[in-house]
């Protein structure tokens, strides 16, 4: 057996210098920062990967991760470190703000500019519940908008999910290939759809055995892709970005960098939604807070009009 590998059942001890090396590498690769409160979780996941790779020291594991051959293992490790908790219609008051106010403002503004392409990015989409929720809400909003602003010669039957002249797509991305595969399958258990109203279940899901499958027209609105938010090459020209419950795993400097990148990825006066426990307060002057009831979002300010948060 090669040096540094072992079948021994005695768990290797993670030394302080090894921990620091691995923490720094993970931070550099994906922006996730494991402070003292999360060190235990990190150690546990590292132990598991070490066993899986049959290595007997964390230093050998670190060497593997930084080697050319270790690219695949690095991706596996990052996948094992992410928290993928999500649900349909998560944070109802925020989605009400999006559906009833922000979409209305956005559609009016775009329509006036003769720009009928709407693009929304779900950054850190996990297993797909967030982007499919967005697709269903926007499909409804567009149908309702069209009802109030009918156009001549429009009797297409059956009615398309996205009425002409509108075009709409949700780009959904994550750092984990595993969750992206599940998201693309788009079938969910009864428990997973517990937060979906019956009217939405009836219109937008097919019941296949004991599972709920997102209907093809909704699926076709969502495009999945791998994106690491740590990198500079991120999807541009979005009207809205949802990045909820992702930033909370980054430290402050990384959060600031990400917010700057989001500002560049948004169209003028575009909107950014972050999680319930996340905030842009004190981190940027590029956005202003928008709120209704307890729903909050941030709107990008026009250049030269930076906010004084
Ligand atoms: C807790 S889930 C949030 C899912 C959804 N946005 C929601 O709020 O329900 C966080 C997701 O962010 C992803 N993530 C973490 N770090 C990331 C990074 N650097 N780049 C892209 N995605 C990342 C994780 O893989 C995970 O699926």
């Amino acid at each position: 057996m090669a040096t540094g590998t072992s079948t021994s059942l005695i768990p290797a001890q993670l030394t302080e210098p090894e921990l620091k090396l691995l923490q720094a590498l993970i931070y550099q690769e994906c922006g996730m920062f494991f402070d003292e409160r999360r060190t235990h979780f990190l150690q546990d996941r590292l132990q598991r990967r070490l066993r899986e790779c049959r290595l007997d020291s964390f230093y050998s594991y670190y060497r593997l991760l930084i080697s050319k051959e270790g690219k695949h293992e690095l991706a596996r490790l990052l996948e094992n470190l992410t928290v993928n908790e999500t649900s349909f219609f998560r944070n109802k008051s925020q989605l009400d703000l999006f559906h009833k106010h922000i979409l209305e403002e956005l559609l009016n503004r775009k329509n006036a500019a003769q720009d009928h392409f709407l693009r929304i990015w779900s950054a850190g989409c996990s297993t797909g519940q967030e982007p499919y929720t967005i697709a269903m809400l926007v499909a409804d909003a567009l149908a309702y908008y069209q009802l109030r602003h009918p156009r001549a010669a429009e009797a297409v039957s059956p009615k398309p999910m996205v009425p002409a002249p509108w075009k709409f797509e949700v780009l959904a991305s994550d750092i984990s290939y595993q969750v992206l595969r599940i998201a693309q399958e788009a079938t969910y258990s009864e428990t997973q759809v517990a937060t979906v109203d019956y009217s939405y279940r009836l219109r937008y899901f097919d019941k296949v055995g004991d599972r709920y499958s997102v209907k093809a027209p909704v699926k076709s609105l969502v495009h999945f892709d791998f994106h690491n938010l740590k990198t500079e090459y991120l999807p541009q020209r979005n009207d809205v970005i949802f990045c909820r419950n992702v930033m909370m795993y980054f430290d402050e400097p990384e959060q600031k960098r990400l917010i700057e990148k989001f500002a560049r990825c948004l169209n003028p006066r575009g909107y950014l939604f972050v999680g319930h426990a996340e905030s842009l307060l004190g981190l940027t002057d590029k956005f202003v807070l928008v709120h209704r009831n307890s729903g909050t979002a941030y709107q990008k300010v026009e250049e030269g009009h930076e906010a004084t948060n």
Side-chain angles (χ1 to χ4, degrees), residues 36-286:
E36 317 77 64
R37 285 167 304 153
R38 300 184 68 225
T39 310
H40 192 73
F41 171 79
L42 175 62
Q43 282 182 349
D44 176 68
R45 296 303 155 102
L46 286 168
Q47 277 294 358
R48 288 191 208 181
R49 293 311 312 153
L50 195 80
R51 271 201 303 273
E52 194 78 20
C53 296
R54 299 175 156 263
L55 291 170
D56 61 8
S57 88
F58 286 97
Y59 186 63
S60 329
Y61 184 59
Y62 170 77
R63 295 287 302 268
L64 170 69
L65 293 176
I66 58 169
S67 70
K68 230 178 177 173
E69 307 74 56
K71 285 274 165 260
H72 188 65
E73 177 52 29
L74 182 60
R76 287 291 294 276
L77 172 66
L78 298 184
E79 264 181 354
N80 275 265
L81 293 174
T82 56
V83 175
N84 305 121
E85 189 191 328
T86 186
S87 55
F88 283 105
F89 294 89
R90 188 176 193 179
N91 195 342
K92 187 81 174 47
S93 48
Q94 199 177 41
L95 294 177
D96 279 349
L97 168 69
F98 169 64
H99 194 201
K100 297 185 184 144
H101 304 285
I102 288 182
L103 272 177
E104 183 70 13
E105 188 276 320
L106 207 48
L107 296 183
N108 277 329
R109 176 154 49 90
K110 285 183 121 3
N111 193 43
Q114 291 289 303
D115 166 12
H116 293 104
F117 185 68
L118 185 66
R119 185 180 157 106
I120 299 183
W121 177 22
S122 164
C125 66
S126 188
T127 41
Q129 287 90 329
E130 181 178 86
Y132 290 129
T133 299
I134 297 167
M136 293 185 266
L137 289 174
V138 174
D140 271 11
L142 284 172
Y144 185 50
Y145 189 86
Q146 208 69 353
L147 196 71
R148 288 169 300 145
H149 305 87
R151 298 169 74 92
E154 221 178 42
V156 187
S157 181
K159 282 200 175 125
M161 180 90 19
V162 175
W166 291 98
K167 289 193 166 39
F168 160 57
E169 74 168 19
V170 184
L171 173 71
S173 69
D174 205 280
I175 197 175
S176 160
Y177 286 107
Q178 209 176 328
V179 295
L180 286 171
R181 270 194 296 276
I182 297 171
Q184 265 164 323
E185 268 178 32
T187 70
Y188 299 93
S189 67
E190 184 79 46
T191 317
Q192 286 172 308
V193 298
T195 50
V196 183
D197 278 356
Y198 289 115
S199 70
Y200 277 97
R201 286 195 212 183
L202 289 170
R203 280 181 298 145
Y204 295 127
F205 289 84
D206 289 318
K207 189 88 194 284
V208 183
D210 58 355
R211 294 180 69 80
Y212 288 81
S213 182
V214 177
K215 278 189 195 283
V218 182
K219 273 179 85 172
S220 70
L221 299 174
V222 184
H223 304 282
F224 291 96
D225 207 350
F226 174 95
H227 279 290
N228 181 353
L229 294 171
K230 176 80 189 185
T231 67
E232 291 300 323
Y233 303 102
L234 295 174
Q236 301 291 310
R237 286 189 279 282
N238 300 283
D239 294 300
V240 185
I241 298 175
F242 280 81
C243 184
R244 303 189 301 169
N245 308 300
V246 181
M247 253 174 37
M248 62 203 276
Y249 301 108
F250 296 180
D251 68 350
E252 197 175 302
E254 199 54 50
Q255 291 182 357
K256 283 187 173 168
R257 279 193 285 274
L258 185 59
I259 296 163
E260 284 294 312
K261 288 188 257 183
F262 283 153
R264 290 196 290 276
C265 291
L266 275 171
N267 287 334
R269 293 162 70 194
Y271 293 91
L272 172 63
F273 285 85
V274 298
H276 188 59
E278 297 162 335
S279 159
L280 266 56
L281 191 73
L283 299 179
T284 179
D285 59 0
K286 299 238 164 50

